[in-house]
Amino acid sequence: ELKDISSIQNVYETVLSKTGKDFSDRKYDIANLSKIENTALKSVLSAKLLEAYNKGVEIAIEVDNEQELYTVELLDFITIISILLDNAIEATLLSRDPQINIAIFTHNDNFYFIVENKTSEESVDTNNIFKNGISTKGENRGIGLYKVTQILDKYPSVSIRTKSS
């Protein structure tokens, strides 16, 4: 909004400079992020995946080709992606073998963004997780996925599906 490019660049470099690890691990193919031309989306994905990587999460990402976000406003999409990735990171860190897989692709003119993570439980009850105040992670939680549903209510052609097995 302020068009302060130097501040934006400074924040981006600060976030990315927090890692001292080699980020070219073959499981995290950062080259796939280069297929995403939207710099805001690429920055958020990079930051979230760096966070996960630095916490010991094994990461795999597949991007089919450059994706266009025609249906959802960018800020709404980034908010949704941030919530889903935060939840995935938090949940997978409780598992014995933390892992997150992401796939971004188009099929039959439909855009898909898939986040898959391991959990500590064999299966998580997903019936009520999108309700306000409901969380599988304890009391006084459960705002994120509820916010996702509020955002998605603005877009009748967009849906979210969650399963656990």
Side-chain angles (χ1 to χ4, degrees), residues 34-161:
S34 68
K35 296 177 183 176
I36 300 171
E37 289 186 19
N38 185 296
T39 55
L41 177 57
K42 190 185 309 186
S43 295
V44 168
L45 283 171
S46 295
K48 294 294 181 186
L49 296 178
L50 266 170
E51 175 190 344
Y53 181 84
N54 286 332
K55 291 179 176 180
V57 177
E58 183 179 319
I59 299 167
I61 182 167
E62 180 180 341
V63 180
D64 185 21
N65 50 30
E66 170 55 30
Q67 305 300 321
E68 294 293 331
L69 309 172
Y70 297 111
T71 310
V72 179
E73 290 180 31
L74 182 59
L75 181 58
D76 286 341
F77 188 72
I78 287 174
T79 300
I80 291 168
I81 296 311
S82 294
I83 291 168
L84 295 179
L85 289 175
D86 284 345
N87 285 0
I89 292 167
E90 188 174 355
T92 200
L93 285 173
L94 299 174
S95 72
R96 286 183 313 197
D97 184 23
Q99 181 178 347
I100 293 176
N101 300 313
I102 297 173
I104 305 170
F105 62 95
T106 303
H107 179 68
N108 293 334
D109 294 327
N110 291 313
F111 173 77
Y112 294 89
F113 189 100
I114 298 173
V115 178
E116 177 182 86
N117 61 277
K118 290 193 175 185
T119 60
S120 61
E121 302 90 357
E122 188 171 318
S123 180
V124 175
D125 182 8
T126 60
N127 288 326
N128 296 312
I129 61 174
F130 290 96
K131 293 181 180 176
N132 191 18
I134 302 294
S135 174
T136 61
K137 299 175 212 145
E139 299 288 322
N140 300 319
R141 313 231 0 193
I143 298 168
L145 292 179
Y146 176 69
K147 173 122 176 112
V148 167
T149 60
Q150 288 183 310
I151 293 170
L152 292 179
D153 283 346
K154 299 190 299 188
Y155 305 99
S157 65
V158 178
S159 64
I160 187 166
R161 186 171 66 198

